[in-house]
Amino acid sequence: MLALRLTRTAHLAVHLRRLLVAVASAGTGFLLLCALGFALSHPDTPGAAALRLAWCAAPLAAAVQLAVAVARTDPGTRPRSGLSAIGLGPGRLMAVSATTTALSAVLGSVAALFLFLHLRGDLTGGPPSGRVAADALAVGQSLPAPAVLTLLVLVPVFASAAVAHTLRPRDPRPATATAPRGYGRFGAYGWGKARETFGAYGRFGSRTATVAIAAGSGTADAIAAGSGTTGAIAAGSRAAGAARVGAGGTLQTQASDAQPPAPTDGTAEAPATPQTLDPQPEPTPAPTPHSPNTTALPWGIAVLAAGLTVETYTGNASAAPTPGTAPSAGVLVGWALTALGLALAGPGLTHLCGRLLQAARPGALRLLAGRVLMEESHRIGRPLGVVAAVAAAAYVAATVYDGDGPAFGPLATLGALLVAGCTVATLLTAAVAAKHARADTTDALLRLGAPPSTLRGAAAVRAAALLALFGPLTLIVAVLAALPLDH
């Protein structure tokens, strides 16, 4: 009931996004039912029917990705302070969001069933209509109810499960005293340690001061050795108490023991009795947070190379697809690996694009655009990678399915439009969510006097940089994928 109430009282933009999820679910359910109808009409070719059903995994994955993106931007299920007191904690809000997604997907599945039955003529009692009646509607045959129900619940079940997994409550990990062993730069496996930023090695004379303190901290004679050592100790105390800037951009301060000022008039007071300084434990440096967006970049490149290899091998081993048939299962596996690799590499490539924008003495415009890209790489990176994979697939389809090649049927056209529309809608939804996430930062910049033209210019620079990086990459992947199929 709470999910229905939140659905009814939502804004118009939220209803439109949920309507997109319902449309995606309807299109995917209709393709699944058409695959079932083809299997019923051609019982002597189970391999072709199974291949048609396997190719429905692409629109199914696109619909689930869109449902997750819409659930992330739903303001009605966003955690707020004070809601836990009335029983609406993060776990309950996650369940409400998953239920809302399931309701939208079920609405689309019901619409797909009515459309399928209407094209068969079961609702009107007349003859079948449409070009897909001969192969995919199984006219004159009874539909198995368990199979129909199983196919129609795929989108609601997968979508709600993906939303529940994405929005599940996560406990913050406590900071450990020592850095754990994990994957380091470029995926290298080794002991992680805290690294200082560029320029911190010689800043404030830290290296010289550290050596001087280590040499003179054991006895009291080094304290009265003269002005040189006194200056080194003073420099060391200043370096120990200075604020350090970590890799994540946060200020980290380290408390230092106060050192008594030594006399500077040339006379040194000798202590009456020798004193032994208590050894102080060295402070353990906090582990430097690493960016999770760059750690998956090598794995994404490896999966992308594996997908192109599989597609090249299966494409050379089989002939080009004939009219009325779908590409082979090897091509499907290759494209799945290629899309997965681009999705994994997308956040890392977006993060790299932001770093490249800030290289070579950047100005305010490039610096702002680069920092925003680095911050938003986890939001828009994966949708960008999926859009690149879909664009590469469209190039391959335009190359292989040209004038003399096999013609696109209505179901193939519907599937292509469904996948392209879902991926583009997911990218736009993620971009809108990123814009809302940095709304406070934008307001702060405007209050500080930043002109709106600078913010618009930074957005244009970000778009141009992403296009300059992902455009050639998409073209290279598309050309490599089309080579084994164009023969």
Side-chain angles (χ1 to χ4, degrees):
M1 293 300 297
L2 180 59
L4 289 175
R5 189 171 300 174
L6 290 176
T7 302
R8 182 177 57 84
T9 59
H11 296 286
L12 179 60
V14 179
H15 283 303
L16 290 178
R17 290 195 291 266
R18 291 171 180 170
L19 182 61
L20 288 178
V21 175
V23 171
S25 176
T28 306
F30 182 76
L31 290 177
L32 291 171
L33 292 178
C34 289
L36 175 63
F38 182 85
L40 293 176
S41 301
H42 302 80
D44 53 341
T45 56
L51 185 59
R52 282 175 174 257
L53 184 62
W55 272 101
C56 294
L60 175 62
V64 170
Q65 184 191 21
L66 177 61
V68 172
V70 170
R72 281 179 173 177
T73 59
D74 193 350
T77 57
R78 188 174 303 166
R80 298 180 182 88
S81 59
L83 291 182
S84 299
I86 59 175
L88 292 179
R92 181 71 180 276
L93 289 178
M94 178 268 295
V96 170
S97 182
T99 305
T100 304
T101 303
L103 290 176
S104 301
V106 167
L107 179 62
S109 297
V110 172
L113 178 61
F114 277 102
L115 178 61
F116 186 77
L117 295 178
H118 173 73
L119 293 179
R120 280 170 49 92
D122 295 340
L123 297 180
T124 59
S129 59
R131 295 176 54 188
V132 297
D135 293 332
L137 295 180
V139 179
Q141 301 185 21
S142 61
L143 297 175
V148 172
L149 182 61
T150 301
L151 293 177
L152 289 180
V153 299
L154 285 180
V155 179
V157 168
F158 279 104
S160 59
V163 169
H165 176 75
T166 303
L167 303 181
R168 69 187 186 279
R170 295 179 177 86
D171 295 331
R173 296 182 179 180
T176 57
T178 58
R181 189 176 184 179
Y183 292 93
R185 186 179 298 176
F186 301 110
Y189 188 74
W191 291 98
K193 63 178 182 178
R195 296 179 299 169
E196 296 190 47
T197 57
F198 179 77
Y201 188 82
R203 192 176 299 157
F204 305 117
S206 59
R207 181 66 177 174
T208 306
T210 304
V211 174
I213 292 174
S217 61
T219 60
D221 296 336
I223 302 178
S227 60
T229 309
T230 303
I233 294 176
S237 62
R238 290 194 303 269
R244 296 180 179 178
V245 181
T250 58
L251 291 176
Q252 299 176 355
T253 59
Q254 181 178 350
S256 60
D257 297 334
Q259 298 290 342
T264 58
D265 55 354
T267 61
E269 295 182 359
T273 57
Q275 297 179 357
T276 304
L277 299 177
D278 295 335
Q280 297 293 335
E282 296 183 359
T284 304
T288 303
H290 65 279
S291 176
N293 303 326
T294 58
T295 55
L297 181 58
W299 300 105
I301 296 175
V303 175
L304 173 62
L308 292 176
T309 303
V310 171
E311 187 179 355
T312 301
Y313 178 77
T314 56
N316 291 330
S318 60
T322 58
T325 61
S328 61
V331 176
L332 173 61
V333 173
W335 269 114
L337 291 176
T338 301
L340 179 61
L342 287 174
L344 290 176
L349 293 176
T350 307
H351 196 274
L352 177 63
C353 187
R355 283 188 175 274
L356 292 178
L357 277 178
Q358 303 175 67
R361 302 177 64 87
L365 191 63
R366 286 198 294 132
L367 186 63
L368 179 60
R371 290 298 176 89
V372 171
L373 274 184
M374 292 174 61
E375 183 68 23
E376 295 177 354
S377 58
H378 68 285
R379 292 180 180 270
I380 64 175
R382 288 187 179 179
L384 269 176
V386 176
V387 168
V390 172
Y395 177 85
V396 174
T399 303
V400 178
Y401 291 83
D402 52 3
D404 298 332
F408 263 93
L411 294 181
T413 304
L414 175 62
L417 292 177
L418 187 62
V419 171
C422 288
T423 52
V424 172
T426 301
L427 179 59
L428 294 178
T429 304
V432 171
K435 181 180 179 180
H436 290 324
R438 66 174 187 273
D440 296 338
T441 304
T442 303
D443 295 340
L445 289 175
L446 292 176
R447 287 195 303 267
L448 290 174
S453 59
T454 302
L455 301 180
R456 291 192 295 267
V461 170
R462 292 196 303 269
L466 291 176
L467 184 61
L469 179 63
F470 280 90
L473 175 64
T474 303
L475 184 60
I476 292 174
V477 173
V479 170
L480 293 177
L483 285 178
L485 297 178
D486 192 10
H487 63 276

